[in-house]
Every structure is written in C-alpha cells, then in structure tokens.
C-alpha cells in the first residue's frame, strides 16, 4: 500500500494494494489499486486508473486522455471533475454526497454507473450520466447534463431535489458497458 503526503508524480505503472493521497498526485501513467482514496489534489491527464473501490474527499480531475474504471463502489464528497471526452466507469454503486464541503461532480464527459446512483449534492456540466438501476436525486442538477436512467422512469427514479431547465432526460440514449467492455478487452 502507498500513502502520499507530499508530491507524487506517476508516469509509469503503479500497482498498489491501497493508495491514499493526502498530498498532490499527478498521473500520466497507469494506476492499479485495490482501493483509491483521495484527500488531497489528484490530477490524471493521461493513462488509465483502475481500482476496486474509490473515494474522493477533495479535488480529483480526469482530463486529457485519462480513463477511470472502478470495479465496485465509488463516492464523492469533494470536487470531482471530468473534462470533455473523459470516461468514468463504476461497476456497482455511486454516491455524490455532501457532508458540508459543497461537493460537486462536474461532468463534461461520460459517467457510467452499473447499479444504483445517489446525488445528494451538486451535479453540473455538459456530459452524460448513464445509470443502469435505481437513481435518486436529493440535491441539485445544473448545466446541460443528459441524465439517462435505464429504468425508464424519467430523470431519476426518485427526485426530491432540483433540476435546472437545461438538463435533458436521456437525449443521447445510453447503455452501460460490461466490465470487460469498460476495460477495452
């Protein structure tokens, strides 16, 4: 396992059990981890990231040519940003929660969730959320996002939050890739 409190630059292949970042992590290579937790600043501008579980409590950005594959569960309680054309695949559940820090997922790419999705904070951007199973919104959905809930019940199965007028209900159509498709195998 690796614990980073300083500056870590990865431009090769990092294979770790668990990876906890409390500092500044810059990735242009490949990260393979059992669990990936970020409580600092994590920027991935190239290469791929694969982890079993993922948690973000600070600033995490996927940009450039980076792709992220989470086999199991993911949560965001910080600032998670996907720039245009970037993909985040989550093999099970994804929760965007707010424990008081003003959590936001800014998605200008594609987020695929293979099971349940909960937004209890802020979603923003111009990308697509493709959700396979149950979806709940108790927060705010802003921007021009396209929300595709494959259960066919509208934006979300349960919505007690707010949805901005520019948000669309599955205009693009979507299907969540299987685990093998997401890996490019």
């Amino acid at each position: 396992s690796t614990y980073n409190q300083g500056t870590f630059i990865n431009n090769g292949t990092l294979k770790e059990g668990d990876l906890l970042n409390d500092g500044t992590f810059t990735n242009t290579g490949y990260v393979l981890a059992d669990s990936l937790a970020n409580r600092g600043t994590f920027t991935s501008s190239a290469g791929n990231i694969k982890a079993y579980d993922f948690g973000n409590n600070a600033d995490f950005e996927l940009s450039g040519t980076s792709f992220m594959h989470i086999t199991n569960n993911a949560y965001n309680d910080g600032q998670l940003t996907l720039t245009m054309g970037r993909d985040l695949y989550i093999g099970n559940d994804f929760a965007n929660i707010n424990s008081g820090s003003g959590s936001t997922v800014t998605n200008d790419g594609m987020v695929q969730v293979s099971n349940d999705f909960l937004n209890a904070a802020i979603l923003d951007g111009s990308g697509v959320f493709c959700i396979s199973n149950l979806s709940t919104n108790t927060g705010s959905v802003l921007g021009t996002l396209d929300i595709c809930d494959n259960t066919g019940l509208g934006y979300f199965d349960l919505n007690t939050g707010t949805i901005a007028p520019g948000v669309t209900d599955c205009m693009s159509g979507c299907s969540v890739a299987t685990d093998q498709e997401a890996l490019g195998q």
Side-chain angles (χ1 to χ4, degrees), residues 31-50:
V31 175
L32 303 162
D34 291 335
S35 295
L36 172 58
N38 179 56
R39 299 186 304 200
T41 300
F42 196 113
T43 304
S44 185
S45 61
N48 295 324
I49 299 169
K50 182 178 179 190

Side-chain angles (χ1 to χ4, degrees), residues 123-126 141-146 163-168:
L123 301 179
D124 200 354
S126 61
V141 183
L142 309 171
T144 58
L145 290 168
D146 192 14
I163 300 175
V167 175
T168 57

Side-chain angles (χ1 to χ4, degrees), residues 6-40:
T7 300
F8 195 107
I9 299 171
N10 178 49
N11 57 14
T13 299
L14 178 65
K15 292 182 178 181
E16 291 302 323
D18 296 319
L19 173 59
L20 172 57
N21 178 52
D22 269 339
T24 301
F25 196 104
T26 303
N27 181 56
T28 58
Y30 295 92
V31 175
L32 303 162
D34 291 335
S35 295
L36 172 58
N38 179 56
R39 299 186 304 200

Side-chain angles (χ1 to χ4, degrees), residues 27-29 43-48 61-68 81-87 108-109:
N27 181 56
T28 58
T43 304
S44 185
S45 61
N48 295 324
E61 180 179 292
L62 288 175
S63 63
T65 59
S66 193
F67 171 85
M68 189 165 172
T81 303
L82 278 76
T83 63
M84 187 177 297
R86 297 308 89 220
D87 292 331
D108 291 321

Side-chain angles (χ1 to χ4, degrees), residues 91-105:
N92 200 23
D93 299 336
F94 180 38
N96 183 40
I97 59 175
N98 186 355
S99 64
S101 62
S103 304
T104 302
V105 173

